Amino acid sequence: MKTLVLCNQKGGVGKSAVATLLAHHLAHHGRRVLAIDLDHQGNFSKPLRLSGRADVAAFASDALMTGPAPALPDRPFVLVPGDRALLGLERQPALHTPFARQFRSFLSAVDAAFDVCVIDTNPNPDIRVIAALASADFVLSPIQLNQEAMDGVSGLLNHERVGLRKIKAVLNPKLTLIGLLPTLVEPTPFQKANFLQVVQQYHPLMIRIGEGPGAFAWMPRRSCIAEAQAEGLVLWDMKKTAARDAWREIEPSLKRIANIVTAAAPAAPAQEENHAAAAG
């Protein structure tokens, strides 16, 4: 089983929507998918529940850190939902190391039952994020095209507690950054200029999906994506022309990310060690 964590220290960047689309995409293509929501807001849990396509575990994700978790449903697409009990984990610092170890033990125990584990994390740099990154194979960082989010890339790599460089050096040497995924992109001159700035500043961190100069993974801002999240719909099954058009834009990026995660030998993901100059 390969484990992919979606991580960003800023909320509101469409991270849960990306996680939902990836989970559905992987399951649709025959992968056995375990979806874990470590965000107490449950924005990954809700659309998967409503879709009816994932079997929901009888316990919430805090149980994966606090003790031996009950058995998961013996199904090919399973959700372990988030709830507000996750908020209490950070307030128990003496137990942070046991929490992370228990989470890793859980993932090891279900390794043979799934092909991919998709983990959505909260934006706060706390023990939930540390535990997820310490056990993951890959991390993907959705970002919004504004200066605040772009400035936050350095924090993604260098944060003193949850920065990818520290996690990789101290806790998880196998952790691989797939790259940055610009989200909520709009077809305006301002957004195009911001996209170009991201590509220029963080070129090694972008996810290439083609040979052209601008062929990088991205996600558009579309009302149908928000509608799919709110109603538990699967974007490519929606009857609206706008949804089909959005899926045509999104599919190359999701397919590339899924291929990196599921490939036996990942093809050229971004390597964060090479970006000291770019990320500051």
Side-chain angles (χ1 to χ4, degrees):
M1 179 180 76
K2 297 297 184 182
T3 299
L4 168 66
V5 172
L6 286 94
C7 181
N8 189 305
Q9 293 171 29
K10 184 178 184 301
V13 298
K15 177 171 52 62
S16 297
V18 175
T20 303
L21 283 162
L22 273 170
H24 278 307
H25 177 75
L26 288 160
H28 181 70
H29 286 276
R31 302 290 183 174
R32 299 171 299 164
V33 178
L34 174 60
I36 299 177
D37 192 350
L38 292 181
D39 191 342
H40 56 277
Q41 298 177 91
N43 292 329
F44 186 28
S45 305
K46 181 181 176 181
L48 292 183
R49 283 183 188 272
L50 290 175
S51 75
R53 301 194 180 198
D55 285 80
V56 184
F59 53 90
S61 59
D62 62 293
L64 306 183
M65 298 190 203
T66 57
L72 293 173
D74 185 16
R75 303 292 294 169
F77 189 6
V78 175
L79 165 68
V80 182
D83 72 4
R84 293 192 63 80
L86 289 161
L87 287 168
L89 300 179
E90 181 65 13
R91 295 194 288 267
Q92 304 175 68
L95 295 177
H96 284 182
T97 297
F99 287 162
R101 287 176 177 164
Q102 183 60 42
F103 190 70
R104 177 173 288 185
S105 295
F106 166 78
L107 292 179
S108 297
V110 300
D111 180 75
F114 298 96
D115 300 309
V116 181
C117 176
V118 179
I119 302 176
D120 190 24
T121 59
N122 52 298
N124 312 93
D126 67 8
I127 184 56
R128 290 173 278 172
V129 177
I130 293 170
L133 293 175
S135 298
D137 298 290
F138 299 99
V139 58
L140 173 69
S141 186
I143 67 163
Q144 202 169 346
L145 291 180
N146 56 44
Q147 194 59 51
E148 181 184 1
M150 289 186 279
D151 291 344
V153 173
S154 179
L156 170 74
L157 298 179
N158 302 316
H159 189 279
E160 62 183 11
R161 190 175 181 205
V162 299
L164 300 187
R165 289 191 175 113
K166 181 167 185 179
I167 295 291
K168 185 161 184 165
V170 177
L171 299 175
N172 184 7
K174 70 177 180 178
L175 184 64
T176 298
L177 174 63
I178 292 177
L180 306 177
L181 179 66
T183 58
L184 304 174
V185 179
E186 298 178 274
T188 65
F190 179 72
Q191 288 275 274
K192 289 177 181 177
N194 280 350
F195 193 95
L196 179 60
Q197 181 182 345
V198 169
V199 170
Q200 291 174 338
Q201 189 169 353
Y202 300 115
H203 186 275
L205 291 171
M206 306 302 290
I207 306 166
R208 184 163 285 285
I209 58 173
E211 297 304 320
F216 299 103
W218 64 288
M219 291 273 292
R221 182 192 292 272
R222 295 286 184 269
S223 61
C224 55
I225 298 175
E227 180 184 345
Q229 282 293 100
E231 300 183 18
L233 303 174
V234 178
L235 191 63
W236 55 85
D237 285 344
M238 294 171 70
K239 299 185 184 300
K240 294 182 177 180
T241 300
R244 293 196 296 269
D245 291 344
W247 176 242
R248 277 195 292 271
E249 290 181 302
I250 292 167
E251 185 180 19
S253 299
L254 286 189
K255 184 176 179 180
R256 173 62 177 146
I257 293 164
N259 285 345
I260 291 172
V261 173
T262 57
Q271 292 298 316
E272 68 272 13
E273 298 94 331
N274 299 328
H275 312 314

